Amino acid sequence: MKTVLQTILGLIIDDWWLAIGILLSITVTSIFIYNNFSSAAGAWLLAILTLLTLPLSLIMEYRKKMR
C-alpha cells in the first residue's frame, strides 16, 4: 500500500496536467452530487472525467518530450 501511495504522489508531483485533471474531476463530480445527482451517475462521471484526463496528460508529456 505504501508503494501505491508513493507512486500516486510521484505522478501528481511530476505531472501537473494529471493532478489538475483529477482535482477538477473530483470537484465537478462533487458539485453534481451536491446538486442531487445520483451517486451511481456521479461515480460514472468521475470515472469518465478521470479517463479523459489520462490522454490529456499523455499528449502534454509527449509534446514536452518532442521539444
Side-chain angles (χ1 to χ4, degrees):
M1 189 65 174
K2 184 178 178 184
T3 307
V4 171
L5 291 176
Q6 287 176 343
T7 303
I8 292 170
L9 265 176
L11 283 172
I12 290 173
I13 291 171
D14 185 46
D15 191 0
W16 288 102
W17 288 102
L18 183 63
I20 291 168
I22 289 174
L23 289 176
L24 281 175
S25 298
I26 292 170
T27 304
V28 167
T29 304
S30 63
I31 289 170
F32 273 93
I33 289 175
Y34 181 74
N35 290 322
N36 297 327
F37 209 60
S38 73
S39 296
W44 277 105
L45 178 65
L46 180 62
I48 291 168
L49 290 175
T50 304
L51 288 175
L52 290 175
T53 300
L54 294 174
L56 172 68
S57 172
L58 290 173
I59 289 169
M60 297 310 288
E61 285 295 316
Y62 177 74
R63 287 183 180 172
K64 186 168 48 172
K65 296 284 184 193
M66 292 304 291
R67 286 186 209 162

